């Protein structure tokens, strides 16, 4: 493994913070990047913000975290008109090259590690991770397999179940199945029971999710989810279950650490933890950290979070979401390999309550990435 610490290279490690992307979660990725850019210790790291525009263009963004904040209900976006950039792998490192067509390409310098803050497809799902592996670039977070499985909630369930972990019962409905056999799809959904939830299998931030109270809502809920993904997961509603989340964080040696769990309780018109409840201000969402759980339940939940993290071969970080049922039993809702870092995101709040500040958390993730290697080495 190449040592990229400042004492051997004669300079600070250079971090490329990559955000935006082509998915419907572009804006949330930008908000996350703003928080991370503001938290990185500039005495310890050189930082290069790299935005991916909604059309897929990579550009050199401005290092202005405030520009990436939510304004009311308006989400920020990458400015695709800025100078294009490309990562160019080499045997001696990886150069970030500005490729403005009106000028000779200029090399910003060797990039030691990428902090990918992309949510959803074309970034969180293993695609970006595969590109970075091929370029020989270190990066924060899980590798190709864990990222891909973590993005696809249906396959995530298969992996977690094979590891003996309890998951929310559900079925998959594809757009082609719905078009070819709507009666059969309706029957399968009705057999699952109501209430239930329809969600895109490969999206996040609660986008495209609907709660189904009866059979009359099936078509509209599926069509809404299909707007985000041709593969939809319909799951039983864990009625009476408490939504409790736990952060998992890699260590330099030994098993990963877990945070104190936190409970999310939505109010007002929100029947579940939807996009508005998660991200927009002035919502009636309450978060209790630590969650009021019996000591033995918290211990079991944290141990189960580590088992889920390891079952998917995760690295760096993850957030594992549970339902704590009225009888005290635990059910895993999902695992997120790149949880949000916005000011209202659970993952940083969980670690703050466990004794690790936001800047310390960011530094831990960067140091873990700098000590890893790419490929199978």
């Amino acid at each position: 493994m190449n040592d990229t610490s400042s004492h051997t290279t004669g300079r600070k490690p250079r971090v490329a913070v990559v955000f935006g992307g082509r998915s419907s979660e572009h804006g949330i990725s930008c908000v996350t990047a703003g928080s991370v850019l503001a938290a990185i210790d500039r005495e310890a790291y050189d930082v290069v913000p790299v935005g991916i525009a909604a059309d897929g263009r990579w550009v050199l963004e401005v290092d202005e975290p405030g520009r990436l904040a939510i304004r009311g209900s308006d989400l920020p976006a990458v400015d695709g008109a800025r100078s294009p950039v490309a990562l160019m792998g080499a045997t001696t490192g990886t150069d970030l090259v500005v490729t403005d067509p009106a000028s000779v390409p200029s090399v910003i310098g060797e990039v030691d590690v990428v902090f990918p803050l992309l949510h959803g497809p074309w970034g969180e799902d293993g695609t970006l991770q595969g590109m970075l592996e091929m370029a020989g670039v270190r990066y924060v977070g899980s590798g190709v397999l864990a990222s891909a499985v973590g993005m696809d909630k249906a396959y995530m369930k298969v992996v977690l179940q094979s590891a003996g972990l309890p998951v929310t019962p559900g079925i998959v409905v594809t757009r082609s199945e719905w078009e070819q056999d709507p009666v059969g799809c309706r029957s399968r959904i009705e057999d699952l029971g109501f209430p239930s939830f329809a969600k895109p299998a490969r999206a996040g931030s609660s986008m495209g999710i609907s709660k189904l109270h009866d059979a009359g809502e099936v078509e509209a809920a599926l069509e809404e989810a299909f707007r985000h993904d041709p593969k939809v997961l319909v799951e039983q509603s864990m009625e009476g279950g408490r939504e409790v989340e736990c952060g998992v964080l890699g260590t330099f040696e030994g098993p990963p650490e877990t945070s104190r769990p936190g409970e999310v309780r939505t109010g007002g018109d929100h029947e579940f933890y939807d996009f508005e409840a998660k991200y927009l201000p002035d919502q009636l969402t309450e978060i209790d950290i630590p969650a009021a759980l019996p000591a033995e339940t918290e211990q079991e939940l944290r141990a189960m979070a580590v088992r889920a993290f390891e079952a998917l071969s995760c690295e760096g970080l993850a957030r594992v979401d549970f339902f704590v049922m009225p009888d005290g039993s635990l059910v895993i809702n999902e695992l997120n390999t790149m949880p949000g870092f916005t000011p209202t995101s659970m993952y940083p709040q969980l670690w703050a309550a466990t004794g690790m500040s936001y800047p310390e958390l960011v530094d831990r993730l960067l140091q873990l990435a700098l000590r890893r290697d790419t490929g199978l080495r």
Side-chain angles (χ1 to χ4, degrees):
M1 179 183 298
N2 295 325
D3 189 344
T4 58
S5 61
S6 58
H7 71 274
T8 57
T9 62
R11 61 167 176 80
K12 295 180 288 187
R14 184 165 290 118
V15 180
V17 176
V18 180
F19 59 95
R22 296 165 54 195
S23 81
S24 58
E25 297 175 80
H26 177 103
I28 292 304
S29 173
C30 293
V31 176
T32 298
S35 299
V36 171
L37 286 169
I40 294 179
D41 182 359
R42 303 311 175 94
E43 296 296 320
Y45 303 97
D46 286 329
V47 179
V48 182
V50 177
I52 301 179
D55 62 3
R57 285 178 291 169
W58 289 49
V59 299
L60 184 64
E61 264 285 2
V62 294
D63 192 3
E64 297 177 2
R67 193 187 77 77
L68 299 173
I70 296 177
R71 307 294 181 189
S73 59
D74 295 328
L75 293 170
V78 170
D79 183 355
R82 297 188 185 278
S83 297
V85 298
L87 285 173
M88 301 184 66
T91 56
T92 57
T94 302
D95 289 332
L96 192 64
V97 182
V98 179
T99 57
D100 194 321
S103 62
V104 176
S106 61
V107 178
I108 294 176
E110 183 178 313
V111 171
D112 299 305
V113 62
V114 169
F115 202 144
L117 296 171
L118 298 154
H119 299 304
W122 306 292
E124 188 182 351
D125 59 350
T127 51
L128 176 67
Q129 289 76 12
M131 187 199 78
L132 295 174
E133 290 283 350
M134 292 182 67
V137 184
R138 293 176 174 87
Y139 55 92
V140 171
S142 289
V144 176
L145 176 64
S147 297
V149 174
M151 189 78 255
D152 191 314
K153 298 177 182 66
Y155 278 105
M156 181 197 302
K157 287 179 180 292
V158 172
V159 174
L160 294 177
Q161 283 182 305
S162 70
L165 294 166
V167 299
T168 309
I171 61 171
V172 172
V173 178
T174 66
R175 180 185 283 134
S176 62
E177 289 172 338
W178 175 247
E179 292 172 348
Q180 295 170 20
D181 185 16
V183 174
C185 291
R186 284 181 179 276
S187 177
R188 292 167 57 211
I189 293 171
E190 291 174 12
D191 288 344
L192 188 64
F194 299 102
S196 59
F197 284 92
K199 61 179 68 173
R202 295 162 294 191
S205 296
S206 297
M207 290 190 174
I209 299 181
S210 302
K211 186 171 183 177
L212 288 71
H213 302 86
D214 54 53
E217 297 178 338
V218 168
E219 182 174 0
L222 288 180
E223 291 301 330
E224 171 60 20
F226 286 144
R227 290 199 311 111
H228 299 269
D229 190 345
K231 180 179 181 180
V232 171
L233 185 61
V234 183
E235 297 176 307
Q236 286 183 5
S237 175
M238 297 288 97
E239 294 296 294
R242 299 164 59 189
E243 294 188 51
V244 178
E245 304 180 356
C246 182
V248 185
L249 181 63
T251 58
F252 299 111
E253 293 183 7
E257 298 179 70
T258 55
S259 71
R260 297 295 303 274
E263 180 174 4
V264 177
R265 291 181 287 111
T266 56
D269 296 329
H270 302 285
E271 284 196 88
F272 61 98
Y273 197 30
D274 60 11
F275 180 89
E276 288 78 12
K278 282 183 177 180
Y279 298 111
L280 300 185
D282 302 323
Q283 301 300 310
L284 299 177
T285 300
E286 297 182 1
I287 296 176
D288 297 329
I289 306 174
L293 298 172
E296 60 273 17
T297 302
E298 177 175 338
Q299 183 177 9
E300 180 185 3
L301 184 147
R302 294 172 75 167
M304 194 176 288
V306 171
R307 288 176 59 196
F309 186 89
E310 294 179 337
L312 267 66
S313 299
C314 294
E315 297 175 73
L317 74 163
R319 193 195 68 236
V320 187
D321 300 346
F322 293 85
F323 291 111
V324 180
M325 303 308 294
D327 63 359
S329 63
L330 301 175
V331 179
I332 295 179
N333 180 24
E334 63 181 67
L335 180 150
N336 192 320
T337 59
M338 185 49 71
F341 274 80
T342 70
T344 58
S345 294
M346 276 290 282
Y347 189 81
Q349 292 190 59
L350 292 171
W351 283 106
T354 310
M356 183 175 295
S357 70
Y358 193 105
E360 289 172 333
L361 178 60
V362 170
D363 184 68
R364 165 76 75 87
L365 292 170
L366 289 171
Q367 288 299 317
L368 285 169
L370 285 166
R371 297 191 188 193
R372 73 186 291 179
D373 219 327
T374 55
L376 300 177
R377 290 172 290 180

